[in-house]
């Protein structure tokens, strides 16, 4: 059942909002007696959680779980909009430093878990099509093969 959110200005000029159930989305109302400003809209509760919402009743009250958001009685999952928070999936790259055998420069070999890509700063990486001995070694350490 859709939730109707009904707002109007009371005699003090303050917005009053009520939410209630109406069997259809076509909510016909007689605006007389509600003042000059009336807004009627369909309401959906927003559920900000990684887990999908579920409805729980406890001591005569209705909640959206998880999170204990109290809602009006009769709320169903159709009245709840699931907003998943963006997961921060920034994994730090694995960095291995290997000294060059010839001139003592440090080569930096990186594995980026986000993209699964490897990179190396040694000159051999170009010749080997991004598959130099450092990357091969690191790949074995990361994947075990
Ligand atoms: Zn390399």
């Amino acid at each position: 059942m859709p939730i109707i959110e009904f707002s109007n200005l009371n005699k003090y000029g303050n917005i009053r909002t009520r939410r209630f159930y109406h069997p259809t989305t076509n909510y016909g109302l007689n605006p007389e007696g509600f003042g000059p400003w009336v807004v009627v809209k369909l309401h959906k509760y927003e559920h900000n959680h990684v887990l999908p919402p579920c409805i729980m009743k406890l001591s005569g009250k209705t909640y959206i779980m998880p999170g204990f958001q109290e809602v009006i009685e009769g709320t169903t999952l159709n009245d709840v909009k699931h907003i998943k928070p963006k997961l921060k999936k920034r994994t730090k790259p694995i960095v291995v430093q290997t000294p060059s055998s010839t001139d003592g420069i440090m080569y930096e070999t990186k594995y980026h878990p986000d993209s699964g890509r490897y990179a190396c700063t040694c000159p051999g990486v170009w010749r080997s099509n991004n598959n130099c001995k450092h990357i091969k070694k690191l790949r074995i350490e990361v994947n075990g093969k």
Side-chain angles (χ1 to χ4, degrees), residues 10-61:
N10 68 9
K11 60 182 172 182
Y12 306 106
N14 299 317
I15 297 171
R16 264 202 71 198
T17 301
R18 275 158 291 176
R19 289 169 188 164
F20 52 89
Y21 272 96
H22 197 263
T24 69
T25 52
N26 301 317
Y27 180 65
L29 106 143
N30 177 8
E32 257 175 69
F34 287 113
W37 186 84
V38 173
V39 171
V40 177
K41 64 177 183 182
L42 274 176
H43 177 72
K44 276 194 187 273
Y45 289 108
E46 292 189 348
H47 176 70
N48 294 286
H49 205 282
V50 283
L51 296 175
C54 62
I55 305 293
M56 188 187 79
K57 286 189 180 180
L58 188 71
S59 315
K61 290 181 174 180

Side-chain angles (χ1 to χ4, degrees), residues 107-109 120-125 132-135:
Y107 297 141
E108 209 170 69
T109 316
C120 189
T121 56
C122 79
V125 76
C132 65
K133 59 182 178 183
H134 311 109
I135 289 178

Side-chain angles (χ1 to χ4, degrees), residues 84-134:
K84 275 188 192 176
K86 290 245 185 335
L87 285 177
K88 286 191 198 107
K89 199 182 147 233
R90 278 269 138 226
T91 324
K92 277 188 182 171
I94 297 167
V95 181
V96 179
Q97 291 188 324
T98 316
S100 159
S101 52
T102 50
D103 49 17
I105 296 173
M106 276 292 194
Y107 297 141
E108 209 170 69
T109 316
K110 280 185 190 174
Y111 169 64
H112 300 274
D114 285 346
S115 56
R117 291 171 75 155
Y118 293 84
C120 189
T121 56
C122 79
V125 76
W126 302 106
R127 284 197 301 270
S128 63
N129 193 22
N130 212 37
N131 198 25
C132 65
K133 59 182 178 183
H134 311 109

